Amino acid sequence: DGSDDNEDDDAPSIAPRRAAIKENPKKDSSAPEESRQEYQKALLRKLNERAEARLTSQDDKVSSERTRKILNSYKSEGQLPQDPDIQDLKLYVDKRYETVILPINGVATPFHISTIKNVSLAVEGEYIYLRINFYNPAGIGKQADSIDKENVYIKELTYRASNEKKDDVAPASNNLSHVHKLILETQKKFKDQEQERKQMEGVVKQAALTLNASKTNPKLKDLYMRPSLANKKINGTLEAHTNGFRYTSVRGDKIDILYSNVSHAFYQPCDNEMIILIHFHLKHAIVFGKRKQIDVQFYTEVGELTTDLGKHRNMHDRDDILAEQAERDLRNRLKAAFKGFIDKVIQQKNFPFEFEQPFRPLGFHGTPHRSMVLIMPTTTCVVQLTEWPPMVIVLDEVELVHFERVHFQLKNFDMVFIMKEYSQKTYSIQSIPMNELDPIKNWLNSCDMCYTEGPQTLNWSKIMKTITDDLSGFFVQGGWTFLESDGDSAKEGIVEDSDIEEDDYNPDEDDSAEEGSESEYSGEEEEEEEDFQEKDSDSDESENLGSDEESGKSWSELEEEARKADAEKLDYDSDTAGRTKKKGDDSKKRSVVLSKKRPARSPPPTNNKKKKK
């Protein structure tokens, strides 16, 4: 609230203020704009100080770059395969060690498959060409600094073989075609392995789930899981054990979630929603369905998710009334079942976390992924759980919030979350209605979250890269205050525009400005204008009417001219009508005279003789 700017320099802790929201989540509790801005300036100053102290201590970790992993095919020459093709200096692919052995200046030279960028095969006349392109410092780009530039790097190699068949012996080009095929297969296999290895990064092996043999364990039946274990929806049962949850599907799939691996747990009831759910945001990703997942959700549907609009029913139809009553009863039973399950789980000994519930009155609409959804804050997060994929942003991990495209002419704006770990990607929520801006500011202000605003959309990937490249220089130049200066400049521009609009319009000033600009023309242009004015005096008078106030006509003179013009138009219309009528009478008389003078046309001759058979 507005009293926060009168407190001491030390900002109050975030947890008590967020707990206050839980007690009274009212959306219209707004603070005065001036006090809110003053409090945000103090938060921004303290944010820069804390961020500088935190990041400079971790400067080595932040500035360290990933080095390209160098894979050696063989540790010694004795590991080379003893194959006749290698001794005959032919191209050879060793699938076991994922290596291509190429003859160079009479020496069999091994190259690991990771050093090969691409291969191509071309036929030109009697020869076939195999071209092999390698990764080199010029082609690696960002990782070029991590390569020892004192060494000599090969950019490409090209081998040629003849297509001609001699004395029932296979042409030499067959070996090139075979090697080309093997290289592509080995590359595909290596890339698949690398992709799988990257997916498994960050996955921590969980401890075993301790099962509780008691039949009174908290249990929820007929639940669906997201992400799904199969292409179609399969329901199952969620059961709480000694140190974690176990979900068992109807076909026998089992997913274990330990209590120690849950970062945040959410319970969203089915009020104004078509599903009721329990959502777990994990500390470390778990793997199922050959993919790692950081968010796991269990839900059940309430009523029909789709409605058939083709059915014509009466609003007082007894079947519809009974269906609505049955849906209300189902909602109440589901809420009671989920609430009972959560209460029993929390009552377990040494249970480490609580289930948070979103605050619907504080929600706002936005587009985090593809569609417009309702985004709701909780005690510690900002979430969207109804549609998949979900959105879970932990407020303790957010450095500051920036509002983009904030302009009085626009209907929507964007909201960008900048994380404390600058290497992480920023999170953006787009197309938020402009009338939600003040409530969001009040909520962030009440949570001690620093925010800034500006009229433009920024390229955050380049901004974050520039910041991480020179952290000390970034904070020496003011840190995140550059976002605040953009917002202030935009506001000043808006104020200047409004001042211009509020001023009284004075045509004399505009005309004098135009005359001043015309006086700056060169002498040649003035002479041309004088010649033109002598040739066309009428146009000169019309121009002078707009620039000279004394030559302008009064309203009475203009009304008299309009009256005369209307009278002349009426006279012209009457004369035109008379001439048209007279012309019609004259044309009729001429036609009568011509018909009298024209001789009668004789009938065609006929043969009156009777024909005889």
Side-chain angles (χ1 to χ4, degrees):
D1 53 11
S3 62
D4 293 332
D5 58 340
N6 297 326
E7 297 179 358
D8 299 335
D9 292 338
D10 295 335
S13 61
I14 297 175
R17 302 192 58 158
R18 291 181 187 163
I21 302 175
K22 187 173 182 180
E23 297 175 0
N24 188 19
K26 292 185 178 179
K27 195 171 184 177
D28 55 353
S29 58
S30 59
E33 181 65 23
E34 294 181 358
S35 62
R36 191 169 63 191
Q37 289 180 358
E38 291 296 329
Y39 187 64
Q40 285 297 317
K41 289 181 180 178
L43 285 178
L44 183 61
R45 185 178 65 255
K46 295 171 186 175
L47 183 148
N48 284 325
E49 295 174 358
R50 292 194 299 266
E52 184 177 5
R54 184 184 73 249
L55 294 174
T56 50
S57 62
Q58 301 175 355
D59 193 9
D60 296 336
K61 297 180 182 180
V62 175
S63 60
S64 62
E65 298 178 355
R66 292 183 178 179
T67 58
R68 187 178 181 86
K69 187 177 180 181
I70 300 175
L71 300 174
N72 294 323
S73 299
Y74 308 107
K75 294 181 180 180
S76 63
E77 294 183 1
Q79 292 182 343
L80 281 171
Q82 301 299 323
D83 193 274
D85 290 342
I86 298 176
Q87 297 176 1
D88 294 341
L89 296 180
K90 293 183 179 180
L91 280 73
Y92 182 81
V93 178
D94 186 0
K95 292 184 178 181
R96 181 182 177 184
Y97 291 96
E98 298 174 337
T99 301
V100 180
I101 300 174
L102 305 174
I104 299 177
N105 295 331
V107 178
T109 309
F111 292 89
H112 193 270
I113 196 68
S114 62
T115 62
I116 297 176
K117 187 176 182 180
N118 53 51
V119 292
S120 61
L121 197 68
V123 178
E124 295 182 5
E126 299 178 354
Y127 296 95
I128 186 170
Y129 293 85
L130 178 66
R131 180 178 178 182
I132 304 174
N133 293 322
F134 296 90
Y135 288 104
N136 58 82
I140 291 176
K142 298 179 180 179
Q143 299 174 349
D145 297 336
S146 62
I147 294 179
D148 186 5
K149 296 184 179 180
E150 295 181 357
N151 297 331
V152 177
Y153 293 90
I154 299 175
K155 185 176 181 181
E156 66 178 64
L157 289 173
T158 303
Y159 292 91
R160 185 184 74 170
S162 175
N163 276 329
E164 295 182 356
K165 184 177 180 181
K166 298 179 180 179
D167 300 333
D168 296 333
V169 179
S173 61
N174 286 358
N175 186 39
L176 291 185
S177 302
H178 181 64
V179 168
H180 175 259
K181 182 180 178 181
L182 291 178
I183 290 176
L184 293 179
E185 292 177 356
T186 309
Q187 266 190 329
K188 184 177 183 302
K189 181 181 177 181
F190 178 77
K191 288 179 180 178
D192 292 341
Q193 292 176 354
E194 285 292 307
Q195 186 176 4
E196 185 178 354
R197 183 183 60 80
K198 288 181 180 180
Q199 286 183 355
M200 296 304 168
E201 286 181 356
V203 176
V204 178
K205 186 177 181 180
Q206 295 189 101
L209 180 68
T210 304
L211 299 178
N212 190 351
S214 176
K215 295 183 179 180
T216 60
N217 291 338
K219 187 181 298 185
L220 277 176
K221 298 181 179 180
D222 297 330
L223 295 181
Y224 299 105
M225 188 179 74
R226 291 196 291 196
S228 179
L229 293 171
N231 295 329
K232 60 180 181 179
K233 293 194 299 184
I234 300 175
N235 61 352
T237 302
L238 181 65
E239 187 175 1
H241 291 276
T242 304
N243 63 337
F245 299 98
R246 168 166 285 186
Y247 176 79
T248 307
S249 66
V250 292
R251 69 177 190 179
D253 301 316
K254 294 180 180 179
I255 301 296
D256 296 338
I257 300 174
L258 300 182
Y259 297 151
S260 59
N261 195 27
V262 176
S263 175
H264 295 84
F266 306 97
Y267 161 62
Q268 181 174 299
C270 53
D271 298 331
N272 300 316
E273 298 286 352
M274 296 306 295
I275 61 174
I276 182 171
L277 60 88
I278 291 176
H279 187 95
F280 297 109
H281 184 66
L282 307 179
K283 297 177 183 177
H284 306 288
I286 61 175
V287 179
F288 59 88
K290 295 183 179 180
R291 300 188 65 180
K292 63 179 182 180
Q293 308 293 341
I294 199 71
D295 289 286
V296 183
Q297 185 179 114
F298 305 97
Y299 73 98
T300 185
E301 298 174 356
V302 182
E304 298 179 357
L305 295 180
T306 59
T307 304
D308 187 2
L309 299 178
K311 295 181 180 179
H312 301 283
R313 291 183 177 178
N314 187 5
M315 62 180 296
H316 300 291
D317 191 356
R318 183 172 180 81
D319 294 338
D320 288 348
I321 296 174
L322 293 176
E324 291 177 1
Q325 182 62 36
E327 183 176 337
R328 283 195 292 269
D329 295 341
L330 177 61
R331 287 175 181 268
N332 294 331
R333 288 198 305 271
L334 288 175
K335 286 194 290 186
F338 273 71
K339 193 66 177 173
F341 174 80
I342 292 172
D343 292 340
K344 291 179 181 178
V345 170
I346 294 175
Q347 290 174 3
Q348 290 184 354
K349 187 178 180 180
N350 298 327
F351 189 73
F353 57 85
E354 294 183 357
F355 285 85
E356 301 179 27
Q357 187 170 336
F359 302 137
R360 197 174 187 87
L362 292 174
F364 57 92
H365 290 85
T367 308
H369 296 291
R370 299 186 189 92
S371 58
M372 179 78 72
V373 293
L374 180 64
I375 300 167
M376 295 177 286
T378 66
T379 307
T380 60
C381 302
V382 183
V383 299
Q384 183 283 123
L385 307 174
T386 304
E387 293 192 11
W388 200 263
M391 184 198 77
V392 179
I393 300 176
V394 182
L395 294 180
D396 289 338
E397 299 175 359
V398 176
E399 185 84 350
L400 69 111
V401 179
H402 181 68
F403 300 111
E404 297 180 336
R405 300 193 303 118
V406 178
H407 199 274
F408 69 97
Q409 292 180 345
L410 301 177
K411 296 181 180 180
N412 300 318
F413 67 95
D414 300 337
M415 186 175 180
V416 180
F417 292 87
I418 303 165
M419 301 300 171
K420 290 182 179 178
E421 187 66 33
Y422 290 176
S423 60
Q424 292 184 6
K425 189 177 179 181
T426 58
Y427 204 99
S428 177
I429 302 175
Q430 301 176 349
S431 302
I432 304 174
M434 193 62 71
N435 58 357
E436 303 281 359
L437 181 60
D438 285 338
I440 294 174
K441 286 182 177 179
N442 291 329
W443 164 65
L444 292 174
N445 195 63
S446 64
C447 294
D448 287 338
M449 292 293 298
C450 183
Y451 64 83
T452 55
E453 63 181 65
Q456 297 178 349
T457 301
L458 304 177
N459 189 343
W460 287 103
S461 59
K462 291 185 177 179
I463 290 175
M464 299 309 296
K465 184 180 183 304
T466 305
I467 292 172
T468 53
D469 289 344
D470 187 12
L471 284 173
S472 59
F474 170 69
F475 289 107
V476 167
Q477 295 175 1
W480 294 105
T481 54
F482 77 95
L483 296 175
E484 188 181 30
S485 62
D486 292 343
D488 294 340
S489 63
K491 290 180 181 178
E492 291 175 1
I494 295 172
V495 171
E496 291 175 0
D497 295 340
S498 61
D499 293 342
I500 293 172
E501 292 177 357
E502 290 176 359
D503 292 339
D504 295 334
Y505 173 69
N506 192 350
D508 295 339
E509 295 179 359
D510 295 340
D511 296 336
S512 62
E514 291 178 1
E515 291 174 359
S517 62
E518 290 175 358
S519 63
E520 296 177 358
Y521 291 165
S522 62
E524 295 178 358
E525 293 178 350
E526 291 179 356
E527 292 178 0
E528 291 178 358
E529 288 180 359
E530 290 177 358
D531 297 337
F532 180 75
Q533 290 173 357
E534 291 176 358
K535 293 180 181 179
D536 195 357
S537 60
D538 296 336
S539 62
D540 184 33
E541 292 176 359
S542 63
E543 290 177 359
N544 290 333
L545 288 175
S547 60
D548 193 357
E549 187 178 0
E550 295 179 358
S551 62
K553 296 182 180 181
S554 62
W555 283 106
S556 59
E557 292 176 352
L558 293 173
E559 289 177 356
E560 186 64 25
E561 288 183 359
R563 194 178 297 108
K564 288 180 181 180
D566 293 340
E568 290 177 358
K569 185 177 180 181
L570 291 174
D571 295 340
Y572 175 76
D573 292 340
S574 60
D575 294 343
T576 304
R579 285 196 298 271
T580 305
K581 184 177 181 181
K582 186 177 179 181
K583 191 180 294 183
D585 296 340
D586 294 342
S587 61
K588 287 181 182 179
K589 290 180 181 179
R590 281 198 301 273
S591 62
V592 172
V593 172
L594 290 173
S595 62
K596 289 181 179 180
K597 291 183 179 181
R598 185 178 297 159
R601 184 176 296 176
S602 59
T606 56
N607 189 5
N608 294 329
K609 294 182 180 180
K610 296 181 179 179
K611 295 181 180 180
K612 296 181 181 180
K613 294 182 181 180

